[in-house]
Amino acid sequence: DRNHFFKWIMSRSEIALASRFRAFKTQDFSNMNELRKFIVQNVQASRKWRQKGVVAQFKRRHFDAEVMDFVKIGKGSLGGKARGLAFMCTLLHESGELHEKYPEVRIAIPQTLVISTEGFENFVDMNDLRYLVEDGHTDEEVRERFLRAEMPRWLIKDLRACLEQIRYPLSVRSSSRLEDAHFQPYAGLYETCMIPNNHPDLSRRLEHLIGAIKRVYASTYYEGPKSFSRSTGNAHQEEAMAVVIQQATGAAHGDYFYPDISGVVQSHNYYPVSHMKPEDGIAHIALGMGKTVVEGGRALRFSPRYPAILPQFSTVDDMLENAQRFFYALRISNLPDRFDVRKHADLERRDVDEAEAERPVQTLSSTYIPEEHRIRDSGYGSGARILTFASILKYDLFPLPGLLTDLMELGRKGLGCPVEIEFSVNLTRPGRKEKGKGAFFFLQMRPMVAGQEQQEVQIEPPDLERAFCFSTRSLGNGRGEEITDIVYVKPADFDARATTGMAEEIGRINAGLVKAKRPYLLVGPGRWGSTDPWLGIPVVWRQIAGVRAMVELRNDQIRADPSQGSHFFQNLTSLGIYYATVEEKEEAEDFFDWGWVNGLPAVSETDFLRHVRTDRPFILKADGRTGQCVMMK
């Protein structure tokens, strides 16, 4: 009543907080506990606001998980992924108009703790592990060696101090020096581990976290990143790994934890349709964890500027065929007594049908009525659940399209180039107030490689007369005359159940061509690099490290949408690899001359593949302005 709190805080130049206290008297509160709670909450809110946009250096005595949103352990580099997060953290803090435009949405970066590259350097040197950076060591050998190694004691003490205050599920992610760099993103080549972090024993929780960190450290020396470094000319021996330990976003649903929506948005759309423009961007969204999207699974694709244009959902039959059928979630209960990070730090795949009684499925689904062969935009009726996201894209339950549009522009201005953003969404909880606000979580931002069309390329009618391949939807810009080798999946022998075996065959042929320094064209149906073997051939980077151009066929064997949103796809574009999608329909302009290719002499042949070679290099022309690509005999 005598304004002692106001005077004491004002004397420390906390003007905003002091002014707030001056506006209240004891009679404004029903009891002393309510007054005390008011004071504590306002002091805490003030401290938290001061930490927004700041990367705080971790100190065991002063760590406060309630206040500090972004904390760094160690003195080394943050790594590429963490740098992008820290940069966006500052942008969001400075963009007050964005928060004012969407007052009903909490726009935030999950609480983040970064172990700098100092931790990796100490760990590797202490355990004499640098020899594993050389070739000749399998990923399994590297992983086991890292898991058996000792963690530095100073790092264990810091991690224990963190876990004493943190009990929510954690995502343990890579942030190497080279990751998310301009034009060489290294996207998706390193490990990510998820842990429930809910064991009653702190020592066990610490053990699980250390195991997850070791797995991420080990992925630094995996064959995939080493192959990618060779392709980009980087010295992988200089690579070092920081680790991002982030609050997993989502909510508990029975034995599982997952967000309502995860997705990726890119500010450059390589495949615009209708009246879309490339700069309008493209988003891919899915139920559950983002693994579905970034690994090329079945997700819904739309332009944030035109959310009503959904080519995948043009008809009822298209909806039934293209809708998401499974999703990924973290198991948080009924776990084995012995938690093995080799098995249990990974996400579980669940069928949408299995979770149809859970609120996210009901909210985001429509219902198929077989008697009427129609789909109703409600997930609460009787009938099969079909994930259409109609409540978001048609009925504005959450302002996702507008928010993505604004964030793309914010990121593009901030980085000065097209960007790719990973995000997750928790929808509004009915019947709750402040804590029930919808939340948009910003998980990652990286530069996109797009708009590199400096060289003008013209595709003329005579070029089409000589062509064995023509695509109206392709990536890349330029002219190439260095390919004589073509590796293709034999159409007559293709079996969607055997795509994993095809990937292994491609890896063996690729190894020989890389050794001989012969770039090649790779041709096959469906999405290259998808982890869903029913959508395409699930090759990983080391299996195609020597490829110079790729053709993705869309035909009756696999009718998958173009694989634009995946990490695999981002790495291809960053290396300037030509990528053409050929629609094999009678009415389509695209074509691939199977008669000519089958007539070429075979260098080798496997159960599913044929490797042929031309006498002279064929000519490839790609026009980045029109998206056309032609390959001439």
mmCIF file of all heavy atoms in Angstrom, residues 77-111:
data_model
loop_
_atom_site.group_PDB
_atom_site.id
_atom_site.type_symbol
_atom_site.label_atom_id
_atom_site.label_comp_id
_atom_site.label_asym_id
_atom_site.label_seq_id
_atom_site.Cartn_x
_atom_site.Cartn_y
_atom_site.Cartn_z
ATOM 1 N N SER A 77 31.223 -23.729 -31.484
ATOM 2 C CA SER A 77 30.209 -23.273 -32.436
ATOM 3 C C SER A 77 28.837 -23.867 -32.101
ATOM 4 O O SER A 77 28.726 -24.973 -31.575
ATOM 5 C CB SER A 77 30.627 -23.698 -33.853
ATOM 6 O OG SER A 77 29.565 -23.537 -34.762
ATOM 7 N N LEU A 78 27.779 -23.113 -32.456
ATOM 8 C CA LEU A 78 26.410 -23.618 -32.306
ATOM 9 C C LEU A 78 26.049 -24.623 -33.398
ATOM 10 O O LEU A 78 25.107 -25.391 -33.240
ATOM 11 C CB LEU A 78 25.413 -22.449 -32.379
ATOM 12 C CG LEU A 78 25.347 -21.478 -31.215
ATOM 13 C CD1 LEU A 78 24.447 -20.314 -31.580
ATOM 14 C CD2 LEU A 78 24.826 -22.167 -29.967
ATOM 15 N N GLY A 79 26.766 -24.614 -34.526
ATOM 16 C CA GLY A 79 26.381 -25.447 -35.655
ATOM 17 C C GLY A 79 25.301 -24.774 -36.487
ATOM 18 O O GLY A 79 24.649 -23.816 -36.056
ATOM 19 N N GLY A 80 25.088 -25.285 -37.693
ATOM 20 C CA GLY A 80 24.185 -24.637 -38.641
ATOM 21 C C GLY A 80 22.741 -24.589 -38.199
ATOM 22 O O GLY A 80 22.084 -23.549 -38.287
ATOM 23 N N LYS A 81 22.218 -25.709 -37.716
ATOM 24 C CA LYS A 81 20.802 -25.760 -37.340
ATOM 25 C C LYS A 81 20.515 -24.833 -36.167
ATOM 26 O O LYS A 81 19.519 -24.086 -36.173
ATOM 27 C CB LYS A 81 20.418 -27.196 -36.992
ATOM 28 C CG LYS A 81 18.936 -27.421 -36.818
ATOM 29 C CD LYS A 81 18.643 -28.902 -36.591
ATOM 30 C CE LYS A 81 18.959 -29.723 -37.814
ATOM 31 N NZ LYS A 81 18.704 -31.163 -37.631
ATOM 32 N N ALA A 82 21.366 -24.869 -35.155
ATOM 33 C CA ALA A 82 21.163 -24.017 -33.983
ATOM 34 C C ALA A 82 21.344 -22.549 -34.340
ATOM 35 O O ALA A 82 20.653 -21.679 -33.789
ATOM 36 C CB ALA A 82 22.124 -24.413 -32.867
ATOM 37 N N ARG A 83 22.260 -22.230 -35.259
ATOM 38 C CA ARG A 83 22.425 -20.837 -35.701
ATOM 39 C C ARG A 83 21.134 -20.323 -36.328
ATOM 40 O O ARG A 83 20.698 -19.203 -36.066
ATOM 41 C CB ARG A 83 23.565 -20.727 -36.726
ATOM 42 C CG ARG A 83 24.938 -20.581 -36.154
ATOM 43 C CD ARG A 83 25.930 -20.064 -37.193
ATOM 44 N NE ARG A 83 25.894 -20.826 -38.433
ATOM 45 C CZ ARG A 83 26.651 -21.894 -38.680
ATOM 46 N NH1 ARG A 83 27.482 -22.328 -37.756
ATOM 47 N NH2 ARG A 83 26.565 -22.527 -39.830
ATOM 48 N N GLY A 84 20.516 -21.170 -37.174
ATOM 49 C CA GLY A 84 19.252 -20.777 -37.799
ATOM 50 C C GLY A 84 18.157 -20.555 -36.775
ATOM 51 O O GLY A 84 17.364 -19.609 -36.878
ATOM 52 N N LEU A 85 18.118 -21.409 -35.753
ATOM 53 C CA LEU A 85 17.117 -21.251 -34.694
ATOM 54 C C LEU A 85 17.357 -19.976 -33.893
ATOM 55 O O LEU A 85 16.415 -19.238 -33.567
ATOM 56 C CB LEU A 85 17.163 -22.461 -33.755
ATOM 57 C CG LEU A 85 16.403 -23.710 -34.200
ATOM 58 C CD1 LEU A 85 16.742 -24.884 -33.292
ATOM 59 C CD2 LEU A 85 14.905 -23.458 -34.197
ATOM 60 N N ALA A 86 18.611 -19.712 -33.553
ATOM 61 C CA ALA A 86 18.930 -18.512 -32.785
ATOM 62 C C ALA A 86 18.590 -17.258 -33.585
ATOM 63 O O ALA A 86 18.054 -16.280 -33.040
ATOM 64 C CB ALA A 86 20.418 -18.515 -32.407
ATOM 65 N N PHE A 87 18.873 -17.303 -34.885
ATOM 66 C CA PHE A 87 18.561 -16.164 -35.747
ATOM 67 C C PHE A 87 17.050 -15.930 -35.801
ATOM 68 O O PHE A 87 16.566 -14.796 -35.678
ATOM 69 C CB PHE A 87 19.115 -16.424 -37.144
ATOM 70 C CG PHE A 87 18.813 -15.336 -38.136
ATOM 71 C CD1 PHE A 87 19.406 -14.089 -38.009
ATOM 72 C CD2 PHE A 87 17.950 -15.552 -39.192
ATOM 73 C CE1 PHE A 87 19.137 -13.078 -38.920
ATOM 74 C CE2 PHE A 87 17.672 -14.545 -40.105
ATOM 75 C CZ PHE A 87 18.274 -13.310 -39.966
ATOM 76 N N MET A 88 16.284 -17.017 -35.961
ATOM 77 C CA MET A 88 14.839 -16.869 -36.034
ATOM 78 C C MET A 88 14.257 -16.463 -34.689
ATOM 79 O O MET A 88 13.253 -15.751 -34.623
ATOM 80 C CB MET A 88 14.210 -18.183 -36.508
ATOM 81 C CG MET A 88 12.790 -18.011 -37.022
ATOM 82 S SD MET A 88 12.742 -16.929 -38.465
ATOM 83 C CE MET A 88 10.997 -16.526 -38.534
ATOM 84 N N CYS A 89 14.884 -16.910 -33.608
ATOM 85 C CA CYS A 89 14.449 -16.514 -32.264
ATOM 86 C C CYS A 89 14.508 -14.993 -32.122
ATOM 87 O O CYS A 89 13.587 -14.352 -31.606
ATOM 88 C CB CYS A 89 15.358 -17.186 -31.227
ATOM 89 S SG CYS A 89 14.757 -17.088 -29.538
ATOM 90 N N THR A 90 15.594 -14.397 -32.636
ATOM 91 C CA THR A 90 15.736 -12.942 -32.605
ATOM 92 C C THR A 90 14.712 -12.273 -33.517
ATOM 93 O O THR A 90 14.087 -11.274 -33.146
ATOM 94 C CB THR A 90 17.162 -12.541 -33.029
ATOM 95 O OG1 THR A 90 18.102 -13.184 -32.164
ATOM 96 C CG2 THR A 90 17.364 -11.041 -32.962
ATOM 97 N N LEU A 91 14.520 -12.813 -34.731
ATOM 98 C CA LEU A 91 13.543 -12.243 -35.660
ATOM 99 C C LEU A 91 12.144 -12.230 -35.059
ATOM 100 O O LEU A 91 11.416 -11.243 -35.157
ATOM 101 C CB LEU A 91 13.527 -13.042 -36.970
ATOM 102 C CG LEU A 91 14.602 -12.755 -38.010
ATOM 103 C CD1 LEU A 91 14.351 -13.594 -39.260
ATOM 104 C CD2 LEU A 91 14.648 -11.280 -38.387
ATOM 105 N N LEU A 92 11.754 -13.346 -34.443
ATOM 106 C CA LEU A 92 10.414 -13.426 -33.862
ATOM 107 C C LEU A 92 10.254 -12.435 -32.718
ATOM 108 O O LEU A 92 9.188 -11.839 -32.536
ATOM 109 C CB LEU A 92 10.149 -14.850 -33.361
ATOM 110 C CG LEU A 92 9.929 -15.920 -34.443
ATOM 111 C CD1 LEU A 92 9.764 -17.294 -33.801
ATOM 112 C CD2 LEU A 92 8.715 -15.597 -35.300
ATOM 113 N N HIS A 93 11.311 -12.276 -31.930
ATOM 114 C CA HIS A 93 11.248 -11.344 -30.800
ATOM 115 C C HIS A 93 11.075 -9.908 -31.286
ATOM 116 O O HIS A 93 10.382 -9.096 -30.662
ATOM 117 C CB HIS A 93 12.516 -11.462 -29.964
ATOM 118 C CG HIS A 93 12.540 -10.579 -28.757
ATOM 119 N ND1 HIS A 93 11.586 -10.660 -27.759
ATOM 120 C CD2 HIS A 93 13.394 -9.582 -28.391
ATOM 121 C CE1 HIS A 93 11.846 -9.753 -26.829
ATOM 122 N NE2 HIS A 93 12.938 -9.092 -27.184
ATOM 123 N N GLU A 94 11.709 -9.596 -32.439
ATOM 124 C CA GLU A 94 11.649 -8.234 -32.965
ATOM 125 C C GLU A 94 10.415 -7.981 -33.829
ATOM 126 O O GLU A 94 10.186 -6.844 -34.238
ATOM 127 C CB GLU A 94 12.921 -7.948 -33.776
ATOM 128 C CG GLU A 94 14.198 -7.963 -32.936
ATOM 129 C CD GLU A 94 15.458 -7.859 -33.781
ATOM 130 O OE1 GLU A 94 15.325 -7.965 -35.031
ATOM 131 O OE2 GLU A 94 16.543 -7.688 -33.202
ATOM 132 N N SER A 95 9.660 -9.018 -34.130
ATOM 133 C CA SER A 95 8.504 -8.880 -35.029
ATOM 134 C C SER A 95 7.217 -8.792 -34.221
ATOM 135 O O SER A 95 6.383 -9.713 -34.238
ATOM 136 C CB SER A 95 8.459 -10.068 -36.007
ATOM 137 O OG SER A 95 9.655 -10.148 -36.736
ATOM 138 N N GLY A 96 7.061 -7.689 -33.530
ATOM 139 C CA GLY A 96 5.870 -7.515 -32.710
ATOM 140 C C GLY A 96 4.585 -7.510 -33.514
ATOM 141 O O GLY A 96 3.542 -7.990 -33.055
ATOM 142 N N GLU A 97 4.662 -7.017 -34.759
ATOM 143 C CA GLU A 97 3.445 -6.954 -35.583
ATOM 144 C C GLU A 97 2.921 -8.343 -35.934
ATOM 145 O O GLU A 97 1.713 -8.529 -36.112
ATOM 146 C CB GLU A 97 3.702 -6.156 -36.869
ATOM 147 C CG GLU A 97 4.682 -6.771 -37.853
ATOM 148 C CD GLU A 97 6.149 -6.528 -37.509
ATOM 149 O OE1 GLU A 97 6.423 -5.913 -36.453
ATOM 150 O OE2 GLU A 97 7.007 -6.951 -38.294
ATOM 151 N N LEU A 98 3.825 -9.333 -36.009
ATOM 152 C CA LEU A 98 3.379 -10.694 -36.298
ATOM 153 C C LEU A 98 2.542 -11.231 -35.144
ATOM 154 O O LEU A 98 1.488 -11.850 -35.355
ATOM 155 C CB LEU A 98 4.593 -11.597 -36.547
ATOM 156 C CG LEU A 98 4.292 -13.037 -36.979
ATOM 157 C CD1 LEU A 98 3.734 -13.048 -38.401
ATOM 158 C CD2 LEU A 98 5.554 -13.895 -36.925
ATOM 159 N N HIS A 99 2.986 -11.002 -33.910
ATOM 160 C CA HIS A 99 2.243 -11.463 -32.739
ATOM 161 C C HIS A 99 0.932 -10.697 -32.590
ATOM 162 O O HIS A 99 -0.073 -11.254 -32.149
ATOM 163 C CB HIS A 99 3.111 -11.297 -31.486
ATOM 164 C CG HIS A 99 4.390 -12.090 -31.525
ATOM 165 N ND1 HIS A 99 4.437 -13.426 -31.219
ATOM 166 C CD2 HIS A 99 5.650 -11.724 -31.862
ATOM 167 C CE1 HIS A 99 5.688 -13.854 -31.339
ATOM 168 N NE2 HIS A 99 6.436 -12.841 -31.736
ATOM 169 N N GLU A 100 0.942 -9.423 -32.986
ATOM 170 C CA GLU A 100 -0.299 -8.640 -32.926
ATOM 171 C C GLU A 100 -1.303 -9.113 -33.965
ATOM 172 O O GLU A 100 -2.512 -9.078 -33.731
ATOM 173 C CB GLU A 100 0.027 -7.160 -33.150
ATOM 174 C CG GLU A 100 0.818 -6.525 -32.012
ATOM 175 C CD GLU A 100 1.261 -5.111 -32.342
ATOM 176 O OE1 GLU A 100 0.834 -4.590 -33.411
ATOM 177 O OE2 GLU A 100 2.030 -4.537 -31.558
ATOM 178 N N LYS A 101 -0.830 -9.549 -35.114
ATOM 179 C CA LYS A 101 -1.711 -10.002 -36.189
ATOM 180 C C LYS A 101 -2.394 -11.316 -35.831
ATOM 181 O O LYS A 101 -3.523 -11.584 -36.267
ATOM 182 C CB LYS A 101 -0.907 -10.160 -37.486
ATOM 183 C CG LYS A 101 -1.760 -10.510 -38.699
ATOM 184 C CD LYS A 101 -0.910 -10.533 -39.970
ATOM 185 C CE LYS A 101 -1.765 -10.883 -41.185
ATOM 186 N NZ LYS A 101 -0.947 -10.908 -42.443
ATOM 187 N N TYR A 102 -1.697 -12.172 -35.037
ATOM 188 C CA TYR A 102 -2.258 -13.478 -34.655
ATOM 189 C C TYR A 102 -2.302 -13.577 -33.127
ATOM 190 O O TYR A 102 -1.585 -14.393 -32.523
ATOM 191 C CB TYR A 102 -1.409 -14.616 -35.234
ATOM 192 C CG TYR A 102 -1.306 -14.577 -36.740
ATOM 193 C CD1 TYR A 102 -0.187 -14.019 -37.364
ATOM 194 C CD2 TYR A 102 -2.334 -15.070 -37.547
ATOM 195 C CE1 TYR A 102 -0.091 -13.967 -38.748
ATOM 196 C CE2 TYR A 102 -2.241 -15.016 -38.932
ATOM 197 C CZ TYR A 102 -1.115 -14.462 -39.527
ATOM 198 O OH TYR A 102 -1.035 -14.413 -40.898
ATOM 199 N N PRO A 103 -3.125 -12.748 -32.471
ATOM 200 C CA PRO A 103 -3.130 -12.741 -31.002
ATOM 201 C C PRO A 103 -3.620 -14.041 -30.387
ATOM 202 O O PRO A 103 -3.296 -14.344 -29.236
ATOM 203 C CB PRO A 103 -4.088 -11.582 -30.675
ATOM 204 C CG PRO A 103 -4.980 -11.479 -31.871
ATOM 205 C CD PRO A 103 -4.114 -11.824 -33.041
ATOM 206 N N GLU A 104 -4.387 -14.823 -31.159
ATOM 207 C CA GLU A 104 -4.928 -16.074 -30.618
ATOM 208 C C GLU A 104 -3.934 -17.226 -30.717
ATOM 209 O O GLU A 104 -4.207 -18.330 -30.241
ATOM 210 C CB GLU A 104 -6.225 -16.441 -31.358
ATOM 211 C CG GLU A 104 -6.047 -17.029 -32.761
ATOM 212 C CD GLU A 104 -5.728 -16.007 -33.852
ATOM 213 O OE1 GLU A 104 -5.433 -14.831 -33.517
ATOM 214 O OE2 GLU A 104 -5.743 -16.392 -35.039
ATOM 215 N N VAL A 105 -2.780 -16.980 -31.322
ATOM 216 C CA VAL A 105 -1.794 -18.043 -31.546
ATOM 217 C C VAL A 105 -0.508 -17.714 -30.793
ATOM 218 O O VAL A 105 0.008 -16.591 -30.884
ATOM 219 C CB VAL A 105 -1.481 -18.208 -33.045
ATOM 220 C CG1 VAL A 105 -0.429 -19.294 -33.252
ATOM 221 C CG2 VAL A 105 -2.739 -18.532 -33.826
ATOM 222 N N ARG A 106 -0.009 -18.682 -30.082
ATOM 223 C CA ARG A 106 1.312 -18.543 -29.474
ATOM 224 C C ARG A 106 2.351 -18.960 -30.508
ATOM 225 O O ARG A 106 2.400 -20.116 -30.927
ATOM 226 C CB ARG A 106 1.418 -19.435 -28.237
ATOM 227 C CG ARG A 106 2.773 -19.344 -27.552
ATOM 228 C CD ARG A 106 2.910 -20.379 -26.463
ATOM 229 N NE ARG A 106 4.292 -20.478 -26.016
ATOM 230 C CZ ARG A 106 4.850 -21.599 -25.563
ATOM 231 N NH1 ARG A 106 4.134 -22.706 -25.481
ATOM 232 N NH2 ARG A 106 6.113 -21.605 -25.169
ATOM 233 N N ILE A 107 3.173 -18.020 -30.972
ATOM 234 C CA ILE A 107 4.214 -18.284 -31.969
ATOM 235 C C ILE A 107 5.545 -18.330 -31.229
ATOM 236 O O ILE A 107 5.976 -17.328 -30.654
ATOM 237 C CB ILE A 107 4.232 -17.190 -33.052
ATOM 238 C CG1 ILE A 107 2.849 -17.043 -33.690
ATOM 239 C CG2 ILE A 107 5.281 -17.501 -34.113
ATOM 240 C CD1 ILE A 107 2.720 -15.832 -34.594
ATOM 241 N N ALA A 108 6.179 -19.480 -31.224
ATOM 242 C CA ALA A 108 7.365 -19.630 -30.367
ATOM 243 C C ALA A 108 8.316 -20.673 -30.932
ATOM 244 O O ALA A 108 7.959 -21.481 -31.794
ATOM 245 C CB ALA A 108 6.939 -20.038 -28.957
ATOM 246 N N ILE A 109 9.536 -20.625 -30.417
ATOM 247 C CA ILE A 109 10.521 -21.687 -30.633
ATOM 248 C C ILE A 109 10.540 -22.531 -29.365
ATOM 249 O O ILE A 109 10.580 -21.983 -28.260
ATOM 250 C CB ILE A 109 11.903 -21.084 -30.927
ATOM 251 C CG1 ILE A 109 11.892 -20.428 -32.313
ATOM 252 C CG2 ILE A 109 12.998 -22.134 -30.856
ATOM 253 C CD1 ILE A 109 13.153 -19.683 -32.662
ATOM 254 N N PRO A 110 10.457 -23.847 -29.466
ATOM 255 C CA PRO A 110 10.470 -24.674 -28.250
ATOM 256 C C PRO A 110 11.720 -24.398 -27.415
ATOM 257 O O PRO A 110 12.757 -23.994 -27.949
ATOM 258 C CB PRO A 110 10.482 -26.110 -28.792
ATOM 259 C CG PRO A 110 9.983 -26.010 -30.187
ATOM 260 C CD PRO A 110 10.408 -24.669 -30.691
ATOM 261 N N GLN A 111 11.607 -24.623 -26.115
ATOM 262 C CA GLN A 111 12.778 -24.430 -25.254
ATOM 263 C C GLN A 111 13.947 -25.254 -25.773
ATOM 264 O O GLN A 111 13.802 -26.453 -26.068
ATOM 265 C CB GLN A 111 12.440 -24.818 -23.827
ATOM 266 C CG GLN A 111 11.592 -23.767 -23.115
ATOM 267 C CD GLN A 111 11.576 -23.957 -21.616
ATOM 268 O OE1 GLN A 111 11.233 -25.026 -21.131
ATOM 269 N NE2 GLN A 111 11.938 -22.925 -20.877
#
